[in-house]
Amino acid sequence: MRNSTKTRVKLLMNEMTSSPHPFGATRQRQDAQPEPVSAPALRAEVRNLDFWYGATHTLKSVSMAVVDCKVTAVIGASGCGKSTLLRCFNRMHDLYPGNRYAGEIQLYPEDRNLIEMDPGMVRLRIGMVFQKPNPFPKSIFENVAAGLRVRGVNGKSLLYERVEQALRGAALWDEAKDRLHDSAYGLSGGQQQRLCIARALAPQPDILLLDEPTSALDPIATAKIEDLLTVLRNTVTVVIVTHNMQQAARISDFTAYMHLGKLVEYGVTEKVFTTPQSPLTNDYITGRFG
Amino acid sequence: MANSSLANAQIESARIVAANRRTDLLMASIGILVLGIATLLLTSVFVGLLASGWDRLINPDFYTHFPSRHPQQAGIISAIVGSSLVMLVTAVIAIPLGVAAGLYLEEYAPKNWLTDLIEINVSNLAGVPSIIYGLLALGLFVYAFSLGETILTAGLTLALLILPVIIVATREAVRSIPLELREAAYGLGADKWQVVRMYVLPAARPGIFTGVIVGLARAIGEAAPLITIGALTFIAFLPPLPVQATPPFVNFDWLTSPFTVMPIQLFNWVSRPQAEFHVNAAATGVVLMVMTLAMNALAIYVRLRLRRLHR
Ligand SMILES: Nc1ncnc2c1ncn2[C@@H]1O[C@H](COP(=O)(O)OP(=O)(O)OP(=O)(O)O)[C@@H](O)[C@H]1O
Ligand SMILES: [Mg+2]
């Protein structure tokens, strides 16, 4: 199972440079030879995903891979559907009536389509950090513990342990350790955003989704969060939406470029930025458009 | 050229600032004036009542005696106990029901025409004259359910009366919770009930509480619906105690006891020809107002406390 996934990624990465469609080869995985090479495993794979806000067709046949323990960046002009795509991953759209999906987001290793799973189940496994820091009106401790409490963890020592671990993971421990029981609203914007990352990390999600997590922050706070993501990249699977192409280039391993609801390009970040296949991508990254 | 346009821009912004100041000043003056009139009216009513009822208010007998044909001996003990017990029943019924209904409508009910219809009806019910509720209660509780002219009936009636207020307040409070907080909670994998219990209810509590107090303050001053269901105007005994020496040590006989309440007592005394009874009425008015104000003060205190805990 795991093997065939690896195979597909390998194929996918070979294929990506030549095929305009990133999944040109993935369909014929049965024919593929087992690959001994250490290709990364997939955490999730989007296949021909369509999404509608009521009657508005917002995502059009999007396909992309999310590689295990790597950072995948989604870039594109404002309004192209980046947030919409990200919010499909944890079924946020299900909170509002009238939204509709078609297609698949296959979750690995169990190989299930998360579009057909219970949204609550999906969200228990896939954490999200929003564009605007949105801590709960509670103490710092309770904010980080929130996801654990939702999962029924109430033992004090275990909570403390996991909260500390998550705060350290989000590089907030030193700033927060003496004020764990103060209101989270007393933190600065950048600290609040790291708190939200800690909150999402505490339940140890399979995938961490970040929607422009630094767009409301100053360069120093941004740098802290970028450092954090580079540290996290080897332990957590991250999908990050960003407006900032330098940021995508700096921190991501894979990059997806979206244009008007379509996924135009997907590949290894370096390649996407140096030798983009699509003229649209080229225009966007050279700043002629977007 | 550049200099003069700069100077012009400065003059222009100075003008705008001055105009804004004038508008602010005007609004502040109007506000203070209106507030002054309202406060003045309330205070003058209160002081007027206080002055007329003073002789009775300072007499402890007034609080411990039953009503009497002799104005000097008449007291309000039965009205105080009656009002308190009726309010207790009202609160116990209306608060859970109203909050649950508001939560259901806002969080769980599908958004369709039926929900809209219910919403419109609930808002309208808040404006229905209270005597209509009295008529409803007379037909429903007194005759159909044979509950009699009891504390239970009165509590149910007033609960019906303030239910719309609590429902509307709950919905408003729940609706005002920012979307981001909900998404944050759902994003952690919380199910609906967890979101409601852990995030929505705590955040909505101050607003719900305000609605509850507004409702209860309205209920405590109501005479009309209770007269309609047949509250007594003259009562010389108290309801049975809710505790007893023999097991099960508590009883609910008081629920089926006849009763009177403060506003009815007040109304009764006002309509007597003897001026001495009017003194009693004024004194009762003061006590009723103090009860209402105390409820509001409690509301403010609890709200502040909740906010401090919450923030
Ligand atoms: N709730 C909604 N209902 C209807 N249309 C929506 C909704 N949210 C977004 N859209 C539309 O869907 C399209 C994609 O929006 P989305 O928020 O995914 O863009 P984005 O790529 O994240 O943009 P940005 O970079 O500005 O955040 C836009 O045209 C937007 O107007
Ligand atoms: Mg967006």
Side-chain angles (χ1 to χ4, degrees):
Chain A
M1 161 79 254
R2 199 77 182 179
N3 235 346
S4 74
T5 318
K6 282 183 185 172
T7 315
R8 281 194 288 156
V9 179
K10 185 70 185 173
L11 282 169
L12 180 141
M13 286 160 74
N14 291 339
E15 207 58 32
M16 254 164 347
T17 44
S18 54
S19 162
H21 191 281
F23 289 92
T26 56
R27 295 276 159 222
Q28 305 116 29
R29 60 173 154 168
Q30 286 86 355
D31 313 335
Q33 299 299 312
E35 278 284 346
V37 192
S38 61
L42 282 192
R43 240 321 159 188
E45 184 183 354
V46 185
R47 290 187 207 145
N48 300 320
L49 181 72
D50 283 78
F51 180 80
W52 290 263
Y53 284 115
T56 326
H57 195 178
T58 306
L59 293 184
K60 293 165 188 160
S61 193
V62 170
S63 298
M64 66 178 277
V66 176
V67 178
D68 194 25
C69 292
K70 297 286 174 201
V71 177
T72 305
V74 181
I75 59 170
S78 185
C80 69
K82 304 181 295 291
S83 303
T84 307
L85 173 62
L86 198 71
R87 290 161 66 90
C88 288
F89 275 94
N90 70 342
R91 302 281 298 276
M92 266 300 154
H93 298 302
D94 291 56
L95 294 180
Y96 307 99
N99 297 340
R100 194 158 64 81
Y101 313 81
E104 298 162 31
I105 301 180
Q106 221 48 33
L107 261 191
Y108 296 111
E110 68 269 57
D111 203 7
R112 279 184 71 190
N113 182 2
L114 70 76
I115 300 296
E116 276 152 19
M117 287 167 65
D118 173 70
M121 282 293 291
V122 174
R123 295 183 200 124
L124 284 173
R125 299 187 35 189
I126 302 184
M128 179 147 189
V129 175
F130 299 80
Q131 181 165 355
K132 233 176 83 192
N134 57 353
F136 297 122
K138 298 187 173 204
S139 70
I140 293 173
F141 181 86
E142 282 305 327
N143 263 279
V144 183
L148 301 167
R149 290 207 190 275
V150 162
R151 287 156 178 80
V153 179
N154 280 311
K156 222 171 172 164
S157 59
L158 182 59
L159 277 181
Y160 264 96
E161 188 183 309
R162 297 282 289 274
V163 165
E164 174 172 349
Q165 193 184 341
L167 282 171
R168 283 191 193 281
L172 190 60
W173 177 250
D174 291 333
E175 286 147 277
K177 64 171 185 280
D178 297 325
R179 46 199 286 207
L180 285 179
H181 298 287
D182 296 355
S183 166
Y185 287 174
L187 297 173
S188 76
Q191 290 171 329
Q192 286 188 12
Q193 193 63 302
R194 275 179 284 149
L195 180 71
C196 292
I197 295 178
R199 182 175 68 188
L201 283 177
Q204 301 172 334
D206 292 354
I207 301 178
L208 181 63
L209 309 170
L210 301 128
D211 191 353
E212 299 185 35
T214 59
S215 64
L217 306 181
D218 70 63
I220 295 176
T222 301
K224 279 199 177 151
I225 288 181
E226 287 186 8
D227 289 348
L228 171 62
L229 291 176
T230 4
V231 174
L232 286 179
R233 78 194 312 169
N234 292 317
T235 50
V236 185
T237 307
V238 174
V239 182
I240 180 171
V241 166
T242 175
H243 254 139
N244 180 332
M245 275 177 291
Q246 286 75 33
Q247 184 171 64
R250 274 196 301 269
I251 62 172
S252 73
D253 304 289
F254 297 88
T255 297
Y257 172 66
M258 291 187 68
H259 181 72
L260 300 179
K262 294 198 172 106
L263 192 123
V264 174
E265 182 137 1
Y266 171 83
V268 176
T269 298
E270 221 176 75
K271 290 210 171 122
V272 171
F273 278 95
T274 50
T275 51
Q277 298 300 300
S278 161
L280 287 167
T281 318
N282 194 39
D283 288 354
Y284 184 71
I285 60 179
T286 52
R288 244 179 288 163
F289 158 79
Chain B
M1 180 65 208
N3 256 343
S4 79
S5 79
L6 184 68
N8 279 343
Q10 273 172 355
I11 292 168
E12 181 62 13
S13 37
R15 206 182 55 77
I16 293 172
V17 168
N20 287 349
R21 284 235 178 89
R22 270 199 304 281
T23 324
D24 284 350
L25 196 67
L26 187 70
M27 286 314 292
S29 328
I30 294 176
I32 289 173
L33 193 72
V34 172
L35 194 69
I37 293 173
T39 329
L40 200 72
L41 273 175
L42 188 69
T43 342
S44 55
V45 168
F46 192 71
V47 170
L49 285 178
L50 203 61
S52 352
W54 187 251
D55 285 345
R56 295 300 286 152
L57 278 171
I58 53 170
N59 186 343
D61 289 350
F62 182 64
Y63 305 98
T64 55
H65 281 195
F66 288 103
S68 155
R69 276 178 295 123
H70 311 291
Q72 298 307 324
Q73 287 158 26
I76 55 170
I77 179 73
S78 48
I80 288 184
V81 171
S83 268
S84 311
L85 292 179
V86 169
M87 292 312 290
L88 181 68
V89 176
T90 303
V92 164
I93 292 165
I95 296 174
L97 221 58
V99 172
L103 266 180
Y104 171 77
L105 283 174
E106 202 54 39
E107 289 284 328
Y108 290 89
K111 304 276 171 278
N112 55 24
W113 62 270
L114 187 63
T115 319
D116 289 345
L117 193 72
I118 292 175
E119 161 153 34
I120 293 170
N121 272 305
V122 169
S123 317
N124 282 341
L125 280 177
V128 168
S130 56
I131 194 152
I132 307 288
Y133 283 95
L135 286 175
L136 169 72
L138 183 68
L140 192 67
F141 301 136
V142 179
Y143 295 142
F145 297 168
S146 310
L147 294 178
E149 295 98 24
T150 58
I151 289 179
L152 180 62
T153 306
L156 285 169
T157 309
L158 294 183
L160 272 190
L161 179 75
I162 67 169
L163 212 46
V165 180
I166 298 180
I167 294 176
V168 170
T170 304
R171 296 196 66 176
E172 293 296 329
V174 167
R175 202 176 307 165
S176 69
I177 296 167
L179 218 57
E180 296 98 69
L181 286 190
R182 277 170 200 282
E183 291 199 343
Y186 279 114
L188 288 171
D191 59 32
K192 199 158 222 167
W193 172 237
Q194 284 174 324
V195 173
V196 167
R197 184 170 50 88
M198 294 163 92
Y199 302 103
V200 172
L201 269 185
R205 232 165 13 185
I208 294 176
F209 208 79
T210 309
V212 166
I213 292 299
V214 169
L216 290 180
R218 176 170 174 202
I220 202 174
E222 283 293 346
L226 299 187
I227 292 176
T228 316
I229 61 164
L232 299 181
T233 49
F234 184 93
I235 190 166
F237 57 89
L238 289 179
L241 282 176
V243 286
Q244 60 193 35
T246 52
F249 302 112
V250 291
N251 69 66
F252 291 97
D253 294 346
W254 56 273
L255 280 174
T256 53
S257 166
F259 68 97
T260 192
V261 291
M262 302 281 289
I264 294 180
Q265 185 66 73
L266 194 159
F267 175 70
N268 177 255
W269 278 334
V270 165
S271 48
R272 297 289 188 91
Q274 300 96 314
E276 293 94 325
F277 276 116
H278 297 171
V279 176
N280 286 354
T284 312
V286 172
V287 177
L288 188 56
M289 273 179 88
V290 168
M291 281 167 98
T292 315
L293 290 177
M295 246 155 55
N296 278 311
L298 178 75
I300 292 168
Y301 172 74
V302 172
R303 203 159 54 215
L304 286 180
R305 260 192 67 92
L306 286 182
R307 193 171 301 160
R308 208 169 310 135
L309 284 181
H310 206 63
R311 279 289 125 102

